Amino acid sequence: NYSTYLNNNIKAFAKFEISDKTTTDNSQQPNNQNTYRLSTLELKLRIAFGERLVMSKDKLEVEGKANPMVWLSYKKNLKNVFGSPYDFDKFEFLFRGKKYTRCLGETSLATQYGYINGFAPATELFNIYGTGENKFDIYCMESFSTMSPDEFFCNEFAALYLSHNFKNLLIDFKKFHPELIILTNIAWFDGTQQLSNSATQQLNYESGIMIDNLINIGISKLGLGTFYRYGPY
């Protein structure tokens, strides 16, 4: 793999990977083979507005915070290169942005889109991030707290993660500064390419409320939240 800055805001990545994978179920592989090879070329761009490059002594450093930030990714599996039987293209897009509004707080938005052109094995399909394996779990940004890991596989999806942090504008005490956060996550996915147990075109919704900064221990803070899942599921 190789990466380089094209300018202050754009970093480019190039990667070539050969991997041998073995499935332990009846995933649809050519000729019913459980072991297969992937030969993948990946090109990515990271566009980070607000950052700048600074040369400090003999080291190149990045200053400033990226806002907004965009990731663009193209992955190509090369058929018949080092024995790979697959020919498919994988496209991914990610946008992250934040905006602080005086007297209202901070709004965060993240959007994702992914699409696979061609037949890809089950291990290469998109898997919408879910962290809701148990009643109580650790919250992860840009994931679905009420969706189980590996619950949905798809060859095309779009997701939106929207949250607003009121900071300490609504609740504030002398030595106690809890932050009220409201969140909504929406995902659309299409799993019609393969996998008989995968859902077809559907929407998945969840909304939640969190109170952050209940416990502040210097560089870290802890909070608590709850989420509700609705829609077709």
Side-chain angles (χ1 to χ4, degrees), residues 72-131:
L72 298 171
S73 172
Y74 170 68
K75 186 182 291 186
K76 172 71 175 178
N77 193 76
L78 306 171
K79 187 176 182 179
N80 299 326
V81 175
F82 295 103
S84 176
Y86 292 102
D87 181 15
F88 63 89
D89 305 273
K90 195 171 185 178
F91 304 87
E92 292 184 74
F93 166 83
L94 170 64
F95 170 89
R96 291 192 187 106
K98 293 182 179 182
K99 181 175 177 58
Y100 182 82
T101 304
R102 189 177 180 182
C103 299
L104 289 177
E106 184 178 77
T107 302
S108 299
L109 171 70
T111 59
Q112 289 178 293
Y113 174 75
Y115 174 72
I116 295 176
N117 179 43
F119 185 90
T123 57
E124 307 311 303
L125 295 178
F126 293 111
N127 179 15
I128 301 174
Y129 297 129
T131 58

Side-chain angles (χ1 to χ4, degrees), residues 67 95-100 105-110 141 160-165 181-182 184:
N67 186 37
F95 170 89
R96 291 192 187 106
K98 293 182 179 182
K99 181 175 177 58
Y100 182 82
E106 184 178 77
T107 302
S108 299
L109 171 70
M141 295 178 62
L160 181 144
Y161 308 93
L162 180 64
S163 67
H164 183 79
N165 188 338
I181 306 173
I182 54 176
T184 292

Side-chain angles (χ1 to χ4, degrees), residues 144-158:
F144 283 78
S145 297
T146 60
M147 185 184 294
S148 301
D150 301 334
E151 184 171 347
F152 297 110
F153 290 89
C154 51
N155 57 295
E156 185 176 12
F157 84 100

Side-chain angles (χ1 to χ4, degrees), residues 14-150:
K15 177 182 180 181
F16 179 71
E17 179 181 73
I18 301 173
S19 58
D20 292 319
K21 299 191 176 184
T22 300
T23 60
T24 57
D25 57 12
N26 295 320
S27 299
Q28 300 172 10
Q29 312 301 331
N31 302 321
N32 296 320
Q33 294 180 347
N34 290 330
T35 301
Y36 57 95
R37 171 167 290 182
L38 296 174
S39 300
T40 307
L41 175 65
E42 184 177 16
L43 303 174
K44 291 196 298 186
L45 285 178
R46 176 182 180 270
I47 307 171
F49 300 96
E51 288 186 348
R52 63 189 184 97
L53 303 176
V54 178
M55 181 63 73
S56 176
K57 295 183 179 179
D58 297 326
K59 185 179 180 182
L60 188 64
E61 297 182 349
V62 178
E63 290 188 349
K65 293 184 178 181
N67 186 37
M69 182 171 65
V70 176
W71 281 92
L72 298 171
S73 172
Y74 170 68
K75 186 182 291 186
K76 172 71 175 178
N77 193 76
L78 306 171
K79 187 176 182 179
N80 299 326
V81 175
F82 295 103
S84 176
Y86 292 102
D87 181 15
F88 63 89
D89 305 273
K90 195 171 185 178
F91 304 87
E92 292 184 74
F93 166 83
L94 170 64
F95 170 89
R96 291 192 187 106
K98 293 182 179 182
K99 181 175 177 58
Y100 182 82
T101 304
R102 189 177 180 182
C103 299
L104 289 177
E106 184 178 77
T107 302
S108 299
L109 171 70
T111 59
Q112 289 178 293
Y113 174 75
Y115 174 72
I116 295 176
N117 179 43
F119 185 90
T123 57
E124 307 311 303
L125 295 178
F126 293 111
N127 179 15
I128 301 174
Y129 297 129
T131 58
E133 191 170 8
N134 304 296
K135 290 281 186 180
F136 296 93
D137 287 288
I138 296 176
Y139 169 73
C140 296
M141 295 178 62
E142 297 174 21
S143 70
F144 283 78
S145 297
T146 60
M147 185 184 294
S148 301
D150 301 334

Side-chain angles (χ1 to χ4, degrees), residues 185-204:
N185 302 324
I186 304 172
W188 170 88
F189 47 89
D190 181 1
T192 58
Q193 182 201 50
Q194 53 180 311
L195 293 182
S196 59
N197 62 341
S198 180
T200 57
Q201 296 183 5
Q202 288 287 5
L203 283 165
N204 193 68

Side-chain angles (χ1 to χ4, degrees), residues 201-214:
Q201 296 183 5
Q202 288 287 5
L203 283 165
N204 193 68
Y205 306 87
E206 71 173 19
S207 293
I209 183 170
M210 297 197 304
I211 301 179
D212 201 5
N213 203 28
L214 289 174

